[in-house]
Amino acid sequence: MKILLFEFCDNFGIQMVLKKVLKRMHRLRVSLQNDCMWGTFGKRSKVVRPMRIIGKRFIHIGSNSVIMHDARIEAVYLYGKEIFTPCIRIGDNVDIQQRVHITCAESITIGNNVSVLPDVLITDINHPYEDITIPPKIQSLKHDPVSIGDETIIGMGARILPGVRIGKHCCIGTNAVVTKDIPDYSLAVGIPAVVVRLRNRIIGMQENVLYGSFGYRSKIIKPMRILGKKNMFIGERVRILNGARMEAISMYHGQRLAPRLVIGNRTTIEQCCHIIAADELTIGGDCVFSAFVYIADCNHQYIPGTHINDTDLEIKKTKIGNGVFIGIGARILPGVTLGDGCVIGANAVVTHDIPPFSVAAGNPARVIKKFNFETNQWEKAE
C-alpha cells in the first residue's frame, strides 16, 4: 500500500510531504501511547531502547528529558505478597545516560536540569538480612525516600542509597556511594561519600578554598566586609548573619602579622557583629553572640602628638570559651579570656578575664553572679 501511495505521490511531486505526515503520525501515536501508559510523560521527552521498565503508571517524566539506552527503571508495586505505592518523578530537562538503574518502592524524586551519567544506581529499597532463618530475597523490603535536587550531576558508576537527600547544584563523584544527605552546593566523593568541597549558597564561592577552613553546613549571610579569609577557620554548622565585619589583619603599616581567627562548631553570630584578629582570636563552640557585638585582639596605641592612625597596633590574644552568651552591643577588648559558660550582659565593656560560668555586666564589666556546682544554683558574687 505504501509503495502504491509513493508511486502515486511521485506523479504529483509530494512524496516528501507524505513522509513528513507519516513521521508526525508516528510521533502522535507514540505520544498517545505514552500518555496512556505512563503516569505523565512530558513534551519532547524520550526513552531510548530501555532494558526494562516496570510500573509505568507510577513513573512521571517532565518535559525535554532524555533516558538513554539500556535503562532499567522499576516502580515496584508488588513484591511477594507486599503491595507498594511507588512514585518516580523525573523533572524537566533531565539527562539520564546509558545503563542507569532506578528502582523504587516508595518515592524517588529527581529535580530539574539534572545529569545522571552512565551506570548509576538510584534506589529507595534495601533487602534486609537481619533474620538469618529467611533468605534476604524473600524478607520484607525496607524502603526510604530519595530526592536529588535541581542542577545536580551524578558521576559515572555512583550509587545513591535509600533515605538520601542530595541538595541543589551538587556534584557526586565517580563511583561514590552516597549513604547520607549531601547539602546544597557540595562536591561529594568516596566510599562512603563525604563532602570535600562546600559551595556557600549565599556568597556563591567555594569557601573551603578561600578560607583556611570552612565547615560543613556553615553559612555567612551577606557580610558587610570580610578581610583575610585564608586566616579564618570556621567550624561546622556555624551561622553568621547579615552585616558582619570580620577582619584578619595580615599587614599594618608595613608590619607583617600572622592572624588566626577560629570559630568553633555550632556557634551563632547575629547581625552586624565586628570581629578583628591581628594575632590569635579564638571563639569556642556552641556560643551565641547577639547583634552589634565587638570582639578584638588588637587596639590602636595612644601617643600624645601622634595621630592614632599612625601608631602601631597593640596586640593581645583574646579567647572566648565554649557555650558563651554575649548580649547585644557588648564589647570584648584585647587580652580578655571569657571562660566556658559565661554570660555577658547587654552593652557590657569587658576589659579583664571573666571566670567560667559567671555572669558579667556593666562598663567596665564586673562579675555579678557565679554558678555554684555544689548547690546547682547561680549565686551573687562577693
Side-chain angles (χ1 to χ4, degrees), residues 324-378:
V324 171
F325 178 88
I326 301 180
I328 190 168
R331 315 302 186 206
I332 313 301
L333 300 188
V336 165
T337 296
L338 301 183
D340 294 346
C342 283
V343 177
I344 306 300
N347 281 8
V349 178
V350 185
T351 59
H352 60 269
D353 294 352
I354 303 297
F357 301 100
S358 300
V359 177
N363 182 6
R366 62 183 182 85
V367 175
I368 58 175
K369 287 184 180 181
K370 292 183 178 181
F371 191 79
N372 188 327
F373 285 93
E374 293 180 359
T375 62
N376 206 34
Q377 290 182 342
W378 289 96

Side-chain angles (χ1 to χ4, degrees), residues 15 23 49 86 118 170 194 196 198 271 306-307 311 317 333:
Q15 182 174 354
K23 190 173 183 178
R49 296 181 185 176
C170 290
V194 295
V196 296
L198 182 63
Q271 69 271 16
T306 304
H307 193 284
T311 63
K317 288 181 171 59
L333 300 188

Side-chain angles (χ1 to χ4, degrees), residues 31-46:
S31 177
L32 288 171
Q33 285 178 345
N34 287 333
D35 287 342
C36 294
M37 297 167 65
W38 300 79
T40 53
F41 200 92
K43 292 182 179 181
R44 294 179 295 278
S45 289
K46 59 182 179 180

Side-chain angles (χ1 to χ4, degrees), residues 270-291:
E270 297 190 354
Q271 69 271 16
C272 303
C273 288
H274 188 181
I275 301 173
I276 307 175
D279 183 17
E280 186 169 333
L281 196 160
T282 303
I283 297 169
D286 300 300
C287 294
V288 175
F289 297 171
S290 301

Side-chain angles (χ1 to χ4, degrees), residues 36 39 67 113 127 180 215 231 260 295 314 327 339 357 366:
C36 294
I67 301 175
N113 302 297
H127 288 275
K180 62 182 181 181
N231 298 310
R260 181 178 175 86
I295 304 172
E314 186 178 54
F357 301 100
R366 62 183 182 85

